[in-house]
Amino acid sequence: MLGTGLYISRGTASVLNISCALVLLPLCKRLNKLLYRMLSKIWPGLFFFWLERAKSFHMTVAITLVLFAVIHSISHFANLCNFSRYYNDEIKDINFANYKNENPMSLLLSQPGVTGVAMLIITSLMAMTSLRTVRRKCYNAFWYTHHLYLPFMMLLIVHPLR
């Protein structure tokens, strides 16, 4: 019924779950404090080397997250179109659409659809305010949009539930 859209959406979802778990790790204050205590005893300059690498790691994971979020969203929209186009009366349990040729945008108003769109908006806002030019001119926008990670994580938990 869904074709390759299902595989792409499931595969990108796995990458997104890992990315969402890893993106916060290098910026965790308690972890950095613990590492500072350990690394400063071994080699005083090693912690600052770690901080520079942690920022690079955070940015790499964040770029991966944005790219796969866009691919994931596109594949889900293709899935919504396929659900509507290939509606089957015999297998109503796996049909997401209510009838054949239902408007895919109405399917987007479901709980997974609304939470997915909200997470995509939050991710886009974070990505746009992370650009160097925006961050330097309006640091507050960068700061406040990055605090949307809390609602993002809550939406991430609720998103796959149906």
Side-chain angles (χ1 to χ4, degrees):
M1 181 185 291
L2 297 179
T4 58
L6 176 66
Y7 303 125
I8 294 171
S9 62
R10 292 280 172 100
T12 55
S14 297
V15 173
L16 287 170
N17 285 335
I18 292 169
S19 295
C20 289
L22 292 178
V23 77
L24 296 175
L25 187 64
L27 301 176
C28 181
K29 285 186 178 183
R30 288 185 188 222
L31 174 67
N32 284 332
K33 192 175 184 179
L34 177 70
L35 285 173
Y36 176 72
R37 287 183 183 153
M38 289 174 23
L39 296 176
S40 63
K41 292 176 184 174
I42 300 168
W43 184 11
L46 190 60
F47 177 70
F48 298 105
F49 178 76
W50 155 254
L51 276 183
E52 188 60 36
R53 296 292 176 239
K55 181 181 172 189
S56 298
F57 179 77
H58 174 78
M59 289 170 33
T60 303
V61 172
I63 290 168
T64 303
L65 198 145
V66 170
L67 290 175
F68 277 87
V70 170
I71 295 168
H72 184 76
S73 300
I74 291 169
S75 67
H76 267 311
F77 191 73
N79 289 342
L80 291 178
C81 292
N82 287 336
F83 270 124
S84 177
R85 186 177 311 139
Y86 302 120
Y87 180 81
N88 190 342
D89 288 326
E90 295 174 9
I91 47 174
K92 291 184 179 183
D93 293 339
I94 64 169
N95 282 324
F96 196 67
N98 296 318
Y99 53 88
K100 190 172 181 75
N101 295 326
E102 183 178 1
N103 184 3
M105 295 307 273
S106 67
L107 296 173
L108 198 60
L109 295 175
S110 65
Q111 178 258 327
V114 171
T115 57
V117 168
M119 286 190 299
L120 188 62
I121 290 169
I122 290 172
T123 304
S124 301
L125 287 172
M126 284 183 182
M128 286 187 288
T129 58
S130 294
L131 297 172
R132 181 176 283 133
T133 55
V134 177
R135 198 174 60 236
R136 286 188 177 162
K137 288 182 181 178
C138 190
Y139 186 80
N140 284 341
F142 165 78
W143 180 255
Y144 288 119
T145 56
H146 270 65
H147 278 85
L148 292 174
Y149 79 91
L150 287 171
F152 178 86
M153 290 298 179
M154 286 187 267
L155 290 169
L156 185 65
I157 292 168
V158 174
H159 177 66
L161 306 176
R162 182 174 181 241

